[in-house]
Structure formats: C-alpha cells, structure tokens
C-alpha cells in the first residue's frame, strides 16, 4: 500500500508507468494489424466469386476439418490464459507447461492449415488459378503466417522464462505475446465465418 | 488516487473464471455457427445474418473474457483504441464492398 502511494508521487501526472505505456503501444500495433486484416477481408469478399469458371471456393473446403483447426486455436488461446495465471502465481514450471501445451495446439493448427493448402495445390487449385483463390490464400495465409511467428516468439519466451524466471520484464513480454495470441484467435473467428462458413452457405 | 489497484496493463484481472467463461461462450458460439451451416435449414440470407451475429458475439466474448478490455479509467485508452479500430474497419470493409458492388452493377 505504502509503496503504491510513493509510486504515485514519482509519477506526478498520473496512472501509467513505463510498462503500461509500452503495453499500450503494443496494443496500438495490434489495432493497426486489424486494419491489415480488414483490407484482406474486403478484398476476399469482393473476389470470392471470381473463380474464372472453376468450382466455387465452398466446394473445395471441408467444414469438419476447419472445425478441428478452430478447436486447436481456441484451445491454445485458453491454455495461454492458464499459462499467464500460473505466471501470476509465480509457478514457473506450470507456466512453462501451459506454454508448451499452447505451442503444441498452435503448431497443430498451422500443420492442418499447411496440409489443407498443399492438398488444394495438388488438386490444381493454386494461388495463380483464379482471383478467388489468390484472395483466399492471401487472407488465410497471412493469418497462418502471424500464428507461425507467434509460435516462434512463444518458443523464445519459453527459453526466457526457463532462464530468468517470473520477473517483471518477462511479465511484460508475455503480456505482449498474450495480446498477439488472443488477437489471432479473434481474427480466426472472422476467417472461419467469412471464408469457410459463408462460402458453404 | 483513482487508480484501480487490480487493473494491470489496462486489462481487468485475468481469472480462471473469466477464461472458462470465455472458452465456454466461444465453444457454444462456434458450434452454433457450424451447426446452422451444416444443417442447411435456413434461407441463405437468414444464415448470413445469423453467422455475422454469432461472429460479432464471439468477438465480444473473447475481447471481454480473454483480453479483458474494460471501461474503467485505466482501461479506457485501450478500449477507445479498440472502438476506433472497429470504426475504421467498418468504414474500410463496408465502403470497399459498396464501391465494388456499384462498380460491378454499372459495368453490367
């Protein structure tokens, strides 16, 4: 309590310390990433019917398969939360365990997506086939790339947490990654709704 | 003085309860979305509208339960940035579709 009061005197103008401002900055980056995805969604919706005489996108997708992908990504978002809760309680090993589970779920998601892309390519539905497929691969691939980068980042954080323990710096970095990871799950809601479900209506 | 002791990084406290609530809501909304498409019971227009509603509901479920956005003093700047982004995204997506559909109709 006393330390909080002292803290306030040091920051005469208010309520934010450096870490708060840094995390807010990262949040602004996440919001600009929203705009990137918004442009790709707009492009996709405009071009999704432009199949150049080929089959509609909806006929190329398997909904149960996409449901499986969705479950892996949602599970990883949840287990990331469990990792943070363990971190707050200073349980380093539990936090490490949950981060590993999160990596496994995220990797399963990326694996399934890459497999889907490869199967489409083998069947002759590639990026160059028509505008609809170009827009599809760009949108879904950009999301998948984000998830892959998040996975690399998470592996790095596992090493850092293992090496340095539950420090304030690690807390800040895991908060960044948490914002990024939950954000990607939120973008995926719109990917499976707009690309896969609306494509199958 | 007005500092809310539990707000950290502009986010409300993350609790096991908030994560479970978010997980269960997301599961229900996802299953409902896949169910109505695979069942094929509704007209296409009704299906599109329901899907959009379910997606937006899940957006809010995850933003509130996982990201813990809130309207307290400390969380307001994050929420304001979020609301502004929603506005820009809406202008961008709706505006693009409006222009492209008009263009398409006029080229016919």
């Amino acid at each position: 309590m006393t330390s909080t009061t002292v803290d306030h005197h040091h920051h005469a103008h208010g309520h934010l310390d450096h870490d708060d401002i840094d995390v807010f900055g990262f949040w602004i980056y996440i919001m600009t990433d929203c705009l990137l995805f918004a442009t790709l969604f707009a492009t996709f919706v405009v071009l999704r019917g432009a199949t150049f005489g080929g089959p509609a996108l909806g006929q190329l997708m398997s909904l149960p398969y996409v449901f499986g992908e969705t479950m892996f990504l949602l599970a990883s978002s949840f287990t990331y939360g469990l990792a943070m809760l363990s971190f707050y309680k200073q349980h380093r090993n539990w936090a490490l365990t949950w981060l590993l589970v999160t990596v496994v779920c995220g990797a399963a998601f990326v694996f399934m997506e890459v497999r889907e892309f490869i199967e489409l390519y083998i069947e002759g539905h590639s990026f160059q086939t028509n505008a609809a497929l170009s827009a599809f691969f760009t949108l879904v691939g950009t999301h998948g790339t984000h998830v892959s980068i998040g996975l690399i980042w998470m592996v790095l954080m596992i090493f850092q947490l293992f090496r340095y323990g539950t420090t304030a710096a690690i807390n800040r970095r895991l908060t960044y990654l948490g914002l990024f990871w939950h954000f990607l799950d939120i973008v995926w809601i719109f990917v499976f709704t707009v690309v896969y479900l609306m494509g199958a209506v | 003085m007005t500092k809310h002791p539990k707000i950290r990084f502009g986010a409300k406290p993350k609790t096991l309860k908030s994560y479970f609530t978010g997980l269960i809501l997301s599961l229900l909304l996802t299953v409902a979305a896949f169910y109505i498409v695979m069942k094929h019971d509704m007209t296409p227009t009704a299906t599109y509208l329901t899907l959009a509603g379910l997606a937006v509901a899940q957006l809010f479920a995850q933003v509130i339960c996982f990201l813990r956005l809130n309207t307290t003093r400390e969380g307001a700047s994050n929420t304001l940035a979020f609301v502004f982004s929603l506005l820009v995204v809406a202008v961008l997506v709706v505006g693009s579709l409006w222009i492209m559909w008009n263009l398409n109709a006029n080229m016919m």
Side-chain angles (χ1 to χ4, degrees), chain A residues 24-43:
Chain A
F24 180 65
F26 193 79
W27 178 247
I28 297 295
Y29 152 68
I30 298 277
M31 292 298 98
T32 61
D33 225 15
C34 271
L35 305 188
L36 166 72
F37 279 107
T39 57
L40 296 179
F41 271 108
T43 311

Side-chain angles (χ1 to χ4, degrees), chain A:
Chain A
M1 274 297 138
T2 325
S3 66
T4 322
T5 327
V6 171
D7 219 35
H8 260 278
H9 273 287
H10 282 288
H11 305 281
H13 283 292
H15 354 271
L16 296 169
D17 62 24
H18 282 300
D19 281 2
D20 283 319
I21 294 166
D22 288 355
V23 171
F24 180 65
F26 193 79
W27 178 247
I28 297 295
Y29 152 68
I30 298 277
M31 292 298 98
T32 61
D33 225 15
C34 271
L35 305 188
L36 166 72
F37 279 107
T39 57
L40 296 179
F41 271 108
T43 311
F44 175 80
V45 176
V46 168
L47 294 177
R48 69 180 201 141
T51 55
F52 200 52
L57 286 184
Q59 290 174 295
L60 306 174
M61 326 276 166
S62 153
L63 286 188
Y65 192 80
V66 175
F67 186 76
E69 283 184 78
T70 307
M71 288 300 106
F72 274 122
L73 202 59
L74 178 60
S76 81
S77 210
F78 177 69
T79 55
Y80 193 89
L82 298 183
M84 287 312 282
L85 292 179
S86 309
F87 184 93
Y88 296 145
K89 289 183 193 153
Q90 312 273 311
H91 294 161
R92 187 192 68 157
N93 291 342
W94 273 112
L96 284 169
T97 310
W98 285 121
L99 283 178
L100 274 175
V101 175
T102 309
V103 168
V104 171
C105 288
F109 170 84
V110 173
F111 175 80
M112 286 181 82
E113 188 166 276
V114 169
R115 197 173 148 241
E116 183 197 28
F117 282 9
I118 290 174
E119 276 181 11
L120 282 172
Y121 185 78
I122 289 172
E123 288 163 14
H125 310 292
S126 77
F127 187 85
Q128 293 108 312
T129 311
N130 56 48
L133 279 165
S134 300
F136 166 81
F137 281 116
T138 307
L139 171 58
V140 183
T142 303
H143 179 269
T145 309
H146 275 75
V147 177
S148 308
I149 291 169
L151 283 173
I152 294 168
W153 187 0
M154 209 174 296
V155 171
L156 294 177
M157 286 317 301
I158 287 173
F159 282 118
Q160 291 193 14
L161 178 58
F162 181 74
R163 174 76 178 74
Y164 301 110
T166 51
T167 66
I170 305 290
N171 186 0
R172 192 187 64 237
R173 290 170 198 169
L174 283 175
T175 305
Y176 294 151
L177 180 55
L179 290 176
F180 188 66
W181 199 251
H182 291 318
F183 161 72
L184 291 179
D185 194 29
I186 290 169
V187 172
W188 182 253
I189 300 169
F190 291 92
V191 175
F192 79 69
T193 302
V194 174
V195 177
Y196 294 97
L197 291 178
M198 288 186 176
V201 171

